Amino acid sequence: MNGWTLLLRMALRRDRLLIPSWVAVFVVVSFGSAAATESLYGDPVSLAAAGHAVNATPALVALYGPIYDVTALGAIGMMKMNAMGAALVGLLGLLLVIRHTRADEEVGRTELAASGAVGRHAALAAALGTAALTVVAVGGLSAGALAAAGLPLGGSLTLGAAWAVCGLVFTAVGGVAAQLATSARASRGIAVAALLAAYVLRAVGDTSGPAWLTWASPVGWSQQMRAYAGDRWWPAAFALLAAVAVAAAAVLVEQRRDLGAGVLADRAGPAHGGPTGPLSLAWRLHRLALAGWASGFALLGFLLGSIASSVPQFLEGAPAAAEMIRALGGTDRLIDAFLATELDFTALVAAAFAVSLIVRLAGEEAHGRAEEVLATPTGRIRWALAHLAVALLGSAVLIVLLGTAAGLARALDTGEVSQLLSVAGASLVRIPAAWTMAAVALLLYAASSRAAVYAWAALVGVVVLGEFGPLMRLPDWMQQLSPYRHIPALPGADLEVTPLVVLLAVTAALVAASAVLYRRRDIVTG
Amino acid sequence: MTNAIEIAGLVKTFGSIRALDELDLTVRTGEVHGFLGPNGSGKSTTIRVLLGLLRSNAGSVTLLGGDPWRDATALHRRLAYVPGDVNLWPQLTGGEVIDLLGRLRGGVDPGRRDKLIQKFELDPTKRSRAYSKGNRQKVALVAALASDAELLILDEPTSGLDPLMEELFRECVQEERSRGRTVLLSSHILSEVEALCDRVSIIRNGRTVETGSLTDLRHLTETSVDATLTGPVPDLAGLDLRDLDIEGGRVRCLVPTPALGDLLARLGAAGISSLVSQPPTLEQLFLRHYGDQA
């Protein structure tokens, strides 16, 4: 343990921008949703109606958890932030731990530190400390933001604590995952799988039962603290005990393994074969990520499709919200408007997948792997286009998969097979918008390897324009900047082909401009 | 064509840093050319210009008769490259990477590949992330050596290899030369360059300071002489000796090559009982250019 405080300070210094930005996101979102809650549910009657409607909809309970007090504004308003928020804080904790343990170890930085006067577990302790401080800060500051936005102080503190303890458990889980695999990527996969499993346990426990499954899940413990609906603090004890036990397990495993090794040894692979060209290489590099995203999208699509039928019932009690969705959807048909909004939003997430692949091109370049390919007869344009192809194909697959799963759920719900085609077909019009975002990312990367990360800023900008543009009454030309603004609001609206063709043309023009820029610039390794 | 690589007056700047400052380099077809220089002198930058990854600011560069920037893909069919810091795709096995790089270059000779894998004692079934630096380098070397390229560009290819593998690498390069391939070998391991290279170019701060065969270059430097005389030590003034050390009848010094004959004549006249003379090593040559840097 010797030297761990030094490493802790170093980790905090290294993440002096990253950690505050994450904390800020949680705090701002908390404040925003708490402030919006009051206006959505005006009177106690509509509040209780909405609460009962949620509890009667298994898909919603599975997704967000039940509402324990249908008379409490905070319990209903913060429904989406309860279990979901706790899981997201858990995600933050595990990502931070792995970033400062296995990711460092993989590239040899840990070895350098370990050769100094630091103890065997110093790096792990510092990483756990960094993540623990972060999740506690998220919980504490978010609780403050919730209370400041007008929600009851007691409930706000409970919710903040529920988030923090869930964050602590998955911080420790990240610590164990980092001991298991030899790569940061695989460690993240293991830890995220554990988080998803905990979420699913809770979802099953809350809906079909048996109810004790919820109590087997760390996410369930946070949810059972019942923020704004009784404020129970004792379930936090389970979480704290589990966090300590799991962290101790991580230390024990680290005690028994060599530096650089993992408990799960790398399996030997084929001695020959492998990718046959640039496209096949890009596919090989991204196929696992795509498979993970695809399973998530299929599940989410099915859930959204199942929820859709109960939307009118859910909103009967909340006329203001119904009004808002109608206004945003531009149609009276509430279910269609709901589906259209969700399809738009998930298509943005699919664009994030495409952007992540394009941003990885910059990583391939910085690490010299681009150089190895580009020293062969494969030209730089062909190499970049191969990755773009996987990004475009992947995002399209995700969008269609989600639409099809949602349509399937609707068809099962209503008994009308036409729903399947209608919703799946409606998802198709989102593809050109996602592709435009991928092309924007490509243009940034083509201009300079370092500019590629700004594609994330562009994506966040589009989210902000879409979510807050109408509410903030931003000037129309500004809202028009988002490609998602131009998508016909299917299902339920008329299919307009012109904007889709324009988006595809813009995408093609951006790709062509990328090629021109990319052909001129240096490939910079290191 | 007599020259595989011709570079004249090459300038490459990164912002305000002048990485290459009118560099010249000529590599004749069929020779093994040593490319020497300390860290950060511009060796890798030169190689990246040759590969068409970086665009030159000024000067002329001809690679295999073409323009490395404009004709990159066509020229890359005829060369193979091993980077100094080999980074592989972590999820592919070493064998898969070798095959991938081979296919990208237009095909692999399976027999040759397997022989090289065996020779370098590489386990091709391991995932790349599990390889040490030396093993990653072996993967890139096997892929390059198994190719049919007429030009091999090797950027410090042995920096991660153990002495046994280094010896093996030397054998392989000699074999390549006997097949008529051209090799540009960037290195700062002088014994390696001495053992392998027909000609060398030495660069410093992005500029070529010496170029020629090792014999040519040795003329530029000093021979060490250690002689024990039977008679009194003669007058050695005017010979421009360095580190002159006279101890009784023993004379030790460094003599510039042009004055060597004169020195031996004077010592001979005094009567020599024993004489040890060593030709200048590349090390001395190197230090002559870099020693005054500090």
Side-chain angles (χ1 to χ4, degrees):
Chain A
M1 294 290 282
N2 197 6
W4 78 279
T5 48
L6 184 72
L7 293 179
L8 176 70
R9 283 206 303 275
M10 206 169 82
L12 289 174
R13 184 181 151 68
R14 192 174 142 206
D15 285 347
R16 62 189 183 280
L17 280 177
L18 185 81
I19 290 177
S21 334
W22 270 107
V23 175
V25 167
F26 278 97
V27 169
V28 168
V29 171
S30 302
F31 188 86
S33 9
T37 303
E38 194 108 41
S39 62
L40 283 181
Y41 307 98
D43 56 290
V45 181
S46 65
L47 192 66
H52 284 300
V54 170
N55 284 342
T57 311
L60 276 178
V61 174
L63 197 57
Y64 300 125
I67 290 168
Y68 293 106
D69 181 355
V70 295
T71 63
L73 182 67
I76 295 176
M78 290 296 107
M79 170 184 77
K80 291 188 181 178
M81 310 278 289
N82 202 333
M84 197 73 100
L88 286 175
V89 178
L91 181 67
L92 174 60
L94 69 88
L95 289 178
L96 271 176
V97 169
I98 292 169
R99 173 178 160 82
H100 289 286
T101 49
R102 183 54 75 174
D104 274 352
E105 194 169 331
E106 196 180 359
V107 293
R109 278 194 288 261
T110 310
E111 193 175 330
L112 195 62
S115 66
V118 298
R120 175 188 289 272
H121 303 299
L124 177 60
L128 291 172
T130 306
L133 284 176
T134 306
V135 297
V136 169
V138 166
L141 294 173
S142 300
L146 292 166
L151 291 177
L153 179 63
S156 303
L157 287 175
T158 313
L159 189 60
W163 282 8
V165 294
C166 188
L168 290 176
V169 172
F170 286 100
T171 291
V173 168
V176 171
Q179 311 305 316
L180 297 183
T182 50
S183 76
R185 237 181 152 195
S187 298
R188 279 194 290 268
I190 292 170
V192 169
L195 178 64
L196 286 177
Y199 207 82
V200 168
L201 272 184
R202 182 211 58 72
V204 175
D206 284 345
T207 50
S208 60
W212 61 264
L213 284 179
T214 302
W215 288 97
S217 158
V219 180
W221 299 329
S222 289
Q223 180 188 300
Q224 286 294 347
M225 288 174 72
R226 305 195 171 178
Y228 304 107
D231 296 336
R232 306 192 296 187
W233 282 69
W234 56 265
F238 288 106
L240 292 176
L241 279 177
V244 170
V246 176
V251 172
L252 278 180
V253 176
E254 191 176 51
Q255 183 81 41
R256 283 154 191 271
R257 72 174 180 90
D258 294 335
L259 188 71
V263 173
L264 309 172
D266 271 320
R267 272 174 301 138
H272 297 303
T276 51
L279 187 62
S280 142
L281 174 64
W283 170 246
R284 173 75 183 267
L285 296 181
H286 304 309
R287 67 181 182 193
L288 246 163
L290 180 61
W293 282 67
S295 35
F297 265 63
L299 195 70
L300 185 63
F302 196 83
L303 270 174
L304 290 172
S306 316
I307 295 170
S309 319
S310 54
V311 165
Q313 179 199 355
F314 168 53
L315 288 171
E316 261 164 28
E323 194 61 43
M324 199 174 77
I325 290 201
R326 261 192 223 110
L328 291 178
T331 166
D332 295 334
R333 295 160 66 192
L334 209 50
I335 293 180
D336 282 348
F338 169 79
L339 283 172
T341 310
E342 297 301 332
L343 285 178
D344 275 352
F345 186 74
T346 48
L348 260 170
V349 184
F353 169 78
V355 166
S356 77
L357 293 206
I358 303 292
V359 171
R360 268 194 70 190
L361 280 178
E364 291 283 297
E365 183 176 335
H367 290 120
R369 291 189 288 261
E371 186 178 299
E372 279 151 44
V373 173
L374 298 182
T376 73
T378 301
R380 49 176 80 188
I381 303 285
R382 226 180 120 209
W383 175 74
L385 286 183
H387 284 260
L388 179 71
V390 176
L392 297 188
L393 179 82
S395 52
V397 164
L398 292 178
I399 289 170
V400 172
L401 203 58
L402 186 125
T404 309
L408 186 68
R410 288 284 299 142
L412 290 174
D413 234 16
T414 57
E416 297 167 27
V417 183
S418 63
Q419 286 287 342
L420 174 60
L421 288 175
S422 145
V423 183
S427 67
L428 291 174
V429 300
R430 273 82 189 176
I431 293 174
W435 284 7
T436 307
M437 294 314 294
V440 168
L442 186 70
L443 184 73
L444 286 165
Y445 167 69
S448 137
S449 189
R450 282 193 192 157
V453 293
Y454 293 113
W456 292 116
L459 198 66
V460 168
V462 167
V463 172
V464 169
L465 283 179
E467 297 288 302
F468 302 111
L471 295 176
M472 290 161 63
R473 298 183 206 287
L474 290 178
D476 204 46
W477 65 265
M478 209 186 261
Q479 295 191 39
Q480 301 271 354
L481 283 177
S482 163
Y484 289 81
R485 169 86 177 179
H486 305 281
I487 302 169
L490 291 174
D494 291 330
L495 172 63
E496 291 171 68
V497 179
T498 319
L500 301 179
V501 173
V502 170
L503 280 178
L504 287 176
V506 168
T507 304
L510 287 171
V511 171
S514 304
V516 172
L517 287 176
Y518 197 39
R519 204 167 266 144
R520 291 156 174 265
R521 79 165 169 90
D522 289 344
I523 299 291
V524 187
T525 300
Chain B
M1 190 200 342
T2 50
N3 290 333
I5 296 171
E6 272 178 65
I7 299 179
L10 174 60
V11 175
K12 176 67 196 172
T13 56
F14 296 108
S16 60
I17 300 164
R18 214 170 159 87
L20 297 181
D21 186 12
E22 302 195 7
L23 180 124
D24 304 309
L25 176 68
T26 305
V27 176
R28 296 177 188 152
T29 302
E31 75 174 359
V32 177
H33 194 101
F35 194 31
L36 283 164
N39 297 329
S41 57
K43 300 191 296 287
S44 296
T45 304
T46 308
I47 287 174
R48 287 181 181 134
V49 171
L50 282 172
L51 291 171
L53 298 167
L54 301 179
R55 194 174 199 169
S56 62
N57 296 96
S60 73
V61 183
T62 311
L63 173 74
L64 300 171
D67 176 336
W69 179 265
R70 222 188 37 232
D71 313 325
T73 44
L75 293 174
H76 291 176
R77 277 179 223 292
R78 299 161 58 194
L79 64 83
Y81 164 59
V82 176
D85 194 0
V86 181
N87 239 304
L88 306 173
W89 298 273
Q91 59 271 66
L92 301 190
T93 64
E96 286 179 318
V97 172
I98 291 170
D99 283 8
L100 168 67
L101 291 175
R103 283 174 182 142
L104 291 174
R105 287 189 190 117
V108 251
D109 175 348
R112 194 130 144 238
R113 172 199 64 196
D114 292 343
K115 225 161 81 192
L116 283 164
I117 289 178
Q118 207 175 18
K119 225 169 158 182
F120 278 100
E121 295 171 20
L122 182 73
D123 177 0
T125 64
K126 250 177 142 178
R127 305 274 169 200
S128 296
R129 73 170 79 90
Y131 282 132
S132 64
K133 176 177 161 59
N135 278 325
R136 290 200 303 271
Q137 220 152 23
K138 285 187 204 169
V139 168
L141 267 175
V142 168
L145 293 172
S147 74
D148 265 333
E150 54 193 274
L151 170 66
L152 295 175
I153 297 181
L154 312 176
D155 192 358
E156 300 189 5
T158 57
S159 52
L161 298 186
D162 62 48
L164 281 177
M165 288 300 149
E166 226 178 289
E167 187 51 45
L168 199 63
F169 166 76
R170 287 180 195 186
E171 278 170 29
C172 287
V173 171
Q174 260 145 7
E175 211 174 287
E176 297 307 319
R177 187 198 1 222
S178 65
R179 286 163 190 246
R181 299 219 235 180
T182 311
V183 180
L184 176 64
L185 174 67
S186 131
S187 180
H188 51 218
I189 301 172
L190 300 163
S191 58
E192 180 176 287
V193 172
E194 260 187 319
L196 288 176
C197 297
D198 306 301
R199 297 194 321 129
V200 299
S201 293
I202 302 181
I203 71 166
R204 174 186 172 180
N205 293 340
R207 195 186 266 274
T208 313
V209 287
E210 293 294 356
T211 187
S213 70
L214 282 173
T215 337
D216 290 343
L217 294 187
R218 284 197 174 114
H219 276 294
L220 299 172
T221 180
E222 297 152 320
T223 303
S224 89
V225 170
D226 182 347
T228 309
L229 305 180
T230 49
V233 177
D235 173 29
L236 298 174
L239 290 176
D240 198 17
L241 304 180
R242 282 205 307 127
D243 297 349
L244 181 60
D245 180 19
I246 300 175
E247 212 183 303
R250 192 172 174 198
V251 177
R252 280 181 295 178
C253 65
L254 292 171
V255 54
T257 308
L260 184 61
D262 206 355
L263 172 73
L264 288 185
R266 290 193 207 181
L267 293 178
I272 300 175
S273 68
S274 90
L275 174 70
V276 180
S277 156
Q278 271 173 345
T281 62
L282 199 49
E283 214 125 24
Q284 284 167 319
L285 222 140
F286 207 69
L287 288 174
R288 200 174 94 112
H289 288 293
Y290 303 125
D292 54 343
Q293 218 168 13

